[in-house]
Amino acid sequence: MAEINRAVKGTNDILPEQSGSWQFVERKMLETAELFGFKEIRVPVFEHTEVFQRSVGDTTDVVQKEMYTFDDKGGRSITLRPELTAGVIRSAIENGIVNGALPAKVCYIGGCYRYEKPQAGRLREFHQFGVECMGAADPAADAEVISLAGQVLENIGIENISLEINSIGCPECRKEYHKALKEYFASRKTELCDTCNDRLERNPMRILDCKSPVCSEIAAKAPVVIDYLCDDCKSHFEKVKAHLDAAGIKYKVNPHIVRGLDYYTRTVFEFVSGDIGAQSTVCGGGRYDGLISQMGGPQVPSLGFAMGIERLMLVLKSQGTQLPLKSGCDIYIASMGEKAAFEATRICAELRKSGFSAQTDICGRGLKAQMKYANKQNAKFSAVLGDNEIDSGIIRLKNMETGTEQEIKLADIADQLGKAINEIALAELTETVFNQ
Ligand code: ATP
Ligand code: MG
């Protein structure tokens, strides 16, 4: 097949039969975030390359290997966002959000671009929902952000997901830790990959995140940062745990979580699913107390998380979760003859103004083909409109699932259709109550 008919490697289309689930999930995300006081922010898909180099960090896999970077026609180096935090922080500084009432709470949904090896749960274009809570240093903020992530997952209907937390300390406690790490990795220097050899001097913590099998085996036995925390960081972490306990949130401390982006300090966390294979981290986040000042803004301690929507979809699929999706078409008005076709157009316009999803023939097809299409659309009701119906002002409303019909006045169609739809909804509700 020609390239023109093929999506780029590592990208997915979200097809009409899938978009209902995406809309449901995204709606739940935004609604839940709102309950915690987070408002949506939308930032560009691309930024100056430096925005990511400076924040994500130039020794990370993301910056060293995964960015889509190009020069635009004006000679600027531009990068498609590999994540949204950097752009959101850039915007928060530029628009004075970080100088306003704090904490400033924002959330986002958007596409991200990383040149990675495509596999299940790992794409080159993927989507994240995330939040940033700017200007909150207290451990209560860490627990609030973590509980928001947990609440989102619960509201979507995700089950069996575990929360793992860790503290990676502040620049102060990392001095000692870096020393210990360098010593440990230097003893295995010849076995490390080239990238990690370079990281050994510049940023030894990044070796802990290397995906190469040899490096990750060596990294598994390296000293862990939680043993090197200063008193302030230790006390912060203890309080985060106490707040999580107070919120009734279960967690496990995993001293091996370091996260793949440089800007994290102190608390880091992941929500991990056992149901989707190797790419099991559905959500990752943490505190980034130094990021905003590092990017030229004021010293505003902050934190956030991002969850991968494609991975969430995989979990929902593997758990067989039934999402409460709206069925599309409320009524299909089939028409016979030209006069009826015009009348069907009028009725559909009226019904749509009243909030019903109504469709009619727009292909000039015969009755049989129209009904076949109505079936494929999963229409709840149908009605056939011909000269007789127009003359008598009476139409038969047919329930497409049961086949039962009722005569209604054409003039009352919106009211009668509304009643009939409510009856179906009530019957479904009664059935679920009985089945419980
Ligand atoms: P991983 O260790 O799986 O590469 P990461 O540490 O690079 O993840 P983050 O940058 O923290 O991930 O992004 C947050 C979330 O976004 C991840 O937990 C995951 O759910 C999702 N994600 C990251 N990269 C991809 C990708 N290439 N394809 C699909 N989802 C992704
Ligand atoms: Mg990654």
Side-chain angles (χ1 to χ4, degrees), residues 214-390:
V214 178
C215 295
S216 45
E217 203 190 306
I218 298 172
K221 298 197 186 86
V224 289
V225 60
I226 203 163
D227 293 337
Y228 290 78
L229 297 186
C230 66
D231 287 346
D232 281 354
C233 286
K234 234 184 248 166
S235 140
H236 185 94
F237 194 45
E238 288 311 312
K239 285 184 189 153
V240 171
K241 289 192 275 185
H243 276 286
L244 288 174
D245 293 336
I249 296 167
K250 291 202 181 71
Y251 56 85
K252 195 180 101 187
V253 175
N254 176 354
H256 294 286
I257 299 180
V258 287
R259 312 287 312 127
L261 316 172
D262 265 356
Y263 49 64
Y264 289 114
T265 51
R266 293 193 164 171
T267 317
V268 287
F269 62 93
E270 291 183 352
F271 282 86
V272 184
S273 167
D275 293 325
I276 51 170
Q279 269 41 263
S280 57
T281 307
V282 166
C283 171
R287 188 166 266 292
Y288 48 84
D289 287 345
L291 177 62
I292 295 181
S293 60
Q294 196 181 309
M295 289 184 71
Q299 174 53 39
V300 174
S302 305
L303 72 163
F305 67 74
M307 44 180 88
I309 305 184
E310 281 81 359
R311 287 191 197 173
L312 269 182
M313 291 300 183
L314 288 177
V315 178
L316 287 173
K317 194 169 165 205
S318 81
Q319 297 184 345
T321 315
Q322 291 292 324
L323 301 180
L325 303 182
K326 280 188 254 162
S327 83
C329 181
D330 291 323
I331 187 166
Y332 186 91
I333 313 267
S335 64
M336 288 189 301
E338 197 176 15
K339 197 169 156 200
F342 286 118
E343 182 61 3
T345 297
R346 188 196 64 75
I347 296 171
C348 279
E350 179 193 324
L351 288 173
R352 290 167 188 152
K353 280 193 182 126
S354 307
F356 296 103
S357 162
Q359 293 194 60
T360 189
D361 176 51
I362 51 170
C363 294
R365 286 188 179 126
L367 187 59
K368 212 171 146 196
Q370 290 186 48
M371 292 316 291
K372 203 170 153 193
Y373 185 77
N375 262 320
K376 283 209 172 130
Q377 295 304 298
N378 257 328
K380 285 195 193 103
F381 290 90
S382 68
V384 179
L385 192 65
D387 291 343
N388 283 346
E389 285 74 18
I390 295 172

Side-chain angles (χ1 to χ4, degrees), residues 30 39-43 83-85 88 106-110 128-132 305-307:
L30 297 176
K39 290 210 174 86
E40 193 191 3
I41 184 169
R42 299 187 189 194
V43 293
E83 51 109 61
L84 274 93
T85 299
V88 168
V106 299
C107 62
Y108 57 78
I109 292 175
Q128 287 186 340
F129 160 73
V131 313
E132 314 298 346
F305 67 74
M307 44 180 88

